[in-house]
Amino acid sequence: MARIIDVISHTQVAEEELAYRAPPGGNGDWRMGSQVIVNEAQAAVFVRGGKALDVLGPGRHTLSVANIPGLASLVGLVTGGRTPFTADLYFVNLRMMPQVGWGTSKPIYLRTSAGLGVMLLRTHGVLGMQVADPMMFVMHYAMNRDVTRLSDIKNRIQTMLLGEINNLMLKSGAQDIMEANAVLDEIEGAMLVEVNDKFLQLGLRINAFEANPFDTVNVPIEELRDIVPLEVWLEVLERQKRLDIGMAAAQNEGLGGGLAAAGVGLGVGQQVGAALGQQQSADVSALQQQMMQQQQMMQQMMQQMMQQNQPPASATAAPAAAPTNPQTKENIQALIDGLDMKLAMGQISENVYNQLVRKWQERLAQLD
């Protein structure tokens, strides 16, 4: 059994110390009439049976039913009003910690409408924090520890802070790094109240917040699944698949790939590439819709051209094909028109088309 404590205080507060249990190891034996001396910027919390009972502020306190009603009531129940009684006492440091460093160990993700739909951001800074509710803090962090230091809870603080910043980013609708930095500036001001809601539930308060501007982070697409939620990761995979198809189509030369290549590869494929290179804000779903619309337009154009070149139903004989070695202006022009049709149908490449048209236009010019 620990010795009976008559007077106790805690004056040697270590750097970054948040709470100290007296006596170390716990199970101090107290009796009514014992004294607890609480220094400025301190609070003393009595704990018995895993429950925080009473908080004492700065000053000299003589234990009695009057000043610790919660503890006195419990002691009366378990000891029949006799002393001594066993309880733990935690001295909580209420001073502000002004230079608590924080940073993005994992990038913060921002959903955007451009590219893959996700932008990764990183930043760091400092914050000032302190214990706001000693009883709440002891219950969440200090219980059963002889000493609780800032380093013991720093990872928890950073995880909560970055989680709140991420939530505010998603709610803000920011679409690029400039808008994200504007939100970060607001967190330093009015939004700090919203961030503090979660911290106050643990007995902590952030009094000051400073952050450096966001930088963008480039990581392999496979690493996104370790950073973003599952539904975002699946959406990224789908967008990557669509963009890969568009880029592959954009690299198809001419119309040699047939009607689909003419509608998708040459036209919209290049638009997809431009959207990626210039970081335009057009949504990928909009590009996909453009791809479908342009393909439909190309199909309609092909059908109209084919109908225009079909002979009328009443014709008894098809017109003669343009000669392979035309000599008159009419035959040469007919050959050039035929090349236009072959290019549109994808029967010849654009390079071959240009060479043949140049040749026969020169021949046509010679006949003038």
Side-chain angles (χ1 to χ4, degrees), residues 11-170:
T11 58
Q12 302 297 320
V13 180
E15 186 177 358
E16 294 194 347
E17 177 186 307
L18 295 173
Y20 174 82
R21 180 169 63 177
N27 296 325
D29 286 338
W30 306 85
R31 58 186 171 191
M32 291 303 175
S34 298
Q35 290 190 343
V36 177
I37 301 174
V38 183
N39 298 317
E40 291 295 328
Q42 275 187 341
V45 180
F46 271 104
V47 175
R48 180 180 172 88
K51 295 181 179 180
L53 301 174
D54 289 294
V55 179
L56 303 178
R60 181 184 291 268
H61 303 271
T62 300
L63 302 188
S64 68
V65 175
N67 62 5
I68 50 170
L71 181 59
S73 175
L74 181 61
V75 168
L77 290 174
V78 299
T79 68
R82 300 185 302 273
T83 59
F85 60 90
T86 301
D88 293 342
L89 181 64
Y90 291 86
F91 287 93
V92 180
N93 182 11
L94 302 181
R95 295 187 185 277
M96 188 176 77
M97 304 287 182
Q99 294 291 323
V100 181
W102 65 274
T104 49
S105 54
K106 284 187 176 181
I108 296 174
Y109 78 93
L110 179 68
R111 302 192 69 166
T112 67
S113 58
L116 294 178
V118 175
M119 177 183 295
L120 300 182
L121 306 173
R122 63 185 173 191
T123 185
H124 66 278
V126 295
L127 57 86
M129 58 159 290
Q130 67 183 136
V131 177
D133 186 330
M135 186 177 292
M136 189 76 70
F137 177 78
V138 169
M139 290 294 296
H140 282 283
Y141 291 115
M143 193 78 72
N144 299 321
R145 291 174 178 263
D146 286 344
V147 181
T148 304
R149 299 178 179 85
L150 179 61
S151 58
D152 297 324
I153 66 171
K154 191 171 183 179
N155 287 339
R156 172 65 171 161
I157 293 172
Q158 174 154 298
T159 300
M160 289 179 57
L161 178 63
L162 294 178
E164 290 305 303
I165 293 176
N166 204 358
N167 289 338
L168 292 175
M169 286 294 174
L170 294 177

Side-chain angles (χ1 to χ4, degrees), residues 153-194:
I153 66 171
K154 191 171 183 179
N155 287 339
R156 172 65 171 161
I157 293 172
Q158 174 154 298
T159 300
M160 289 179 57
L161 178 63
L162 294 178
E164 290 305 303
I165 293 176
N166 204 358
N167 289 338
L168 292 175
M169 286 294 174
L170 294 177
K171 292 178 182 177
S172 71
Q175 291 292 304
D176 54 44
I177 191 169
M178 293 182 63
E179 294 180 359
N181 281 322
V183 175
L184 198 60
D185 290 339
E186 293 182 18
I187 295 176
E188 296 184 10
M191 284 190 183
L192 189 56
V193 176
E194 186 172 349

Side-chain angles (χ1 to χ4, degrees), residues 53-366:
L53 301 174
D54 289 294
V55 179
L56 303 178
R60 181 184 291 268
H61 303 271
T62 300
L63 302 188
S64 68
V65 175
N67 62 5
I68 50 170
L71 181 59
S73 175
L74 181 61
V75 168
L77 290 174
V78 299
T79 68
R82 300 185 302 273
T83 59
F85 60 90
T86 301
D88 293 342
L89 181 64
Y90 291 86
F91 287 93
V92 180
N93 182 11
L94 302 181
R95 295 187 185 277
M96 188 176 77
M97 304 287 182
Q99 294 291 323
V100 181
W102 65 274
T104 49
S105 54
K106 284 187 176 181
I108 296 174
Y109 78 93
L110 179 68
R111 302 192 69 166
T112 67
S113 58
L116 294 178
V118 175
M119 177 183 295
L120 300 182
L121 306 173
R122 63 185 173 191
T123 185
H124 66 278
V126 295
L127 57 86
M129 58 159 290
Q130 67 183 136
V131 177
D133 186 330
M135 186 177 292
M136 189 76 70
F137 177 78
V138 169
M139 290 294 296
H140 282 283
Y141 291 115
M143 193 78 72
N144 299 321
R145 291 174 178 263
D146 286 344
V147 181
T148 304
R149 299 178 179 85
L150 179 61
S151 58
D152 297 324
I153 66 171
K154 191 171 183 179
N155 287 339
R156 172 65 171 161
I157 293 172
Q158 174 154 298
T159 300
M160 289 179 57
L161 178 63
L162 294 178
E164 290 305 303
I165 293 176
N166 204 358
N167 289 338
L168 292 175
M169 286 294 174
L170 294 177
K171 292 178 182 177
S172 71
Q175 291 292 304
D176 54 44
I177 191 169
M178 293 182 63
E179 294 180 359
N181 281 322
V183 175
L184 198 60
D185 290 339
E186 293 182 18
I187 295 176
E188 296 184 10
M191 284 190 183
L192 189 56
V193 176
E194 186 172 349
V195 173
N196 259 324
D197 287 345
K198 295 291 181 65
F199 282 85
L200 289 174
Q201 295 175 15
L202 303 177
L204 297 169
R205 178 191 294 116
I206 297 177
N207 297 320
F209 176 85
E210 296 180 9
N212 292 308
F214 278 122
D215 291 327
T216 56
V217 183
N218 294 321
V219 300
I221 187 174
E222 294 80 7
E223 295 184 15
L224 285 177
R225 58 187 168 190
D226 298 327
I227 300 173
V228 303
L230 178 60
E231 65 274 11
V232 178
W233 164 243
L234 294 177
E235 182 179 341
V236 168
L237 287 182
E238 180 63 24
R239 289 194 177 205
Q240 178 67 43
K241 180 179 178 181
R242 294 175 183 175
L243 294 176
D244 287 344
I245 293 174
M247 290 298 293
Q251 295 174 0
N252 182 25
E253 291 187 1
L255 301 178
L259 182 60
V264 179
L266 179 61
V268 181
Q270 292 174 347
Q271 294 178 12
V272 172
L276 287 175
Q278 300 175 10
Q279 290 296 311
Q280 295 177 345
S281 61
D283 188 78
V284 174
S285 60
L287 290 179
Q288 185 184 26
Q289 185 177 4
Q290 291 178 14
M291 294 169 71
M292 297 175 63
Q293 292 175 349
Q294 187 160 342
Q295 186 172 1
Q296 292 173 356
M297 292 175 60
M298 182 62 73
Q299 289 175 339
Q300 294 174 359
M301 184 180 70
M302 292 297 102
Q303 292 173 357
Q304 292 175 359
M305 294 177 63
M306 293 174 65
Q307 291 172 358
Q308 291 174 357
N309 286 274
Q310 286 179 350
S314 60
T316 57
T324 58
N325 188 23
Q327 300 296 325
T328 66
K329 291 183 179 182
E330 291 76 13
N331 289 341
I332 293 176
Q333 187 61 54
L335 188 146
I336 293 176
D337 294 340
L339 292 175
D340 291 339
M341 177 63 69
K342 289 183 178 181
L343 174 64
M345 296 295 293
Q347 297 176 357
I348 60 175
S349 69
E350 189 173 2
N351 186 39
V352 171
Y353 168 83
N354 291 334
Q355 292 180 2
L356 292 175
V357 168
R358 187 183 307 110
K359 170 185 174 181
W360 290 109
Q361 283 180 342
E362 291 176 354
R363 181 68 178 273
L364 192 61
Q366 293 174 358

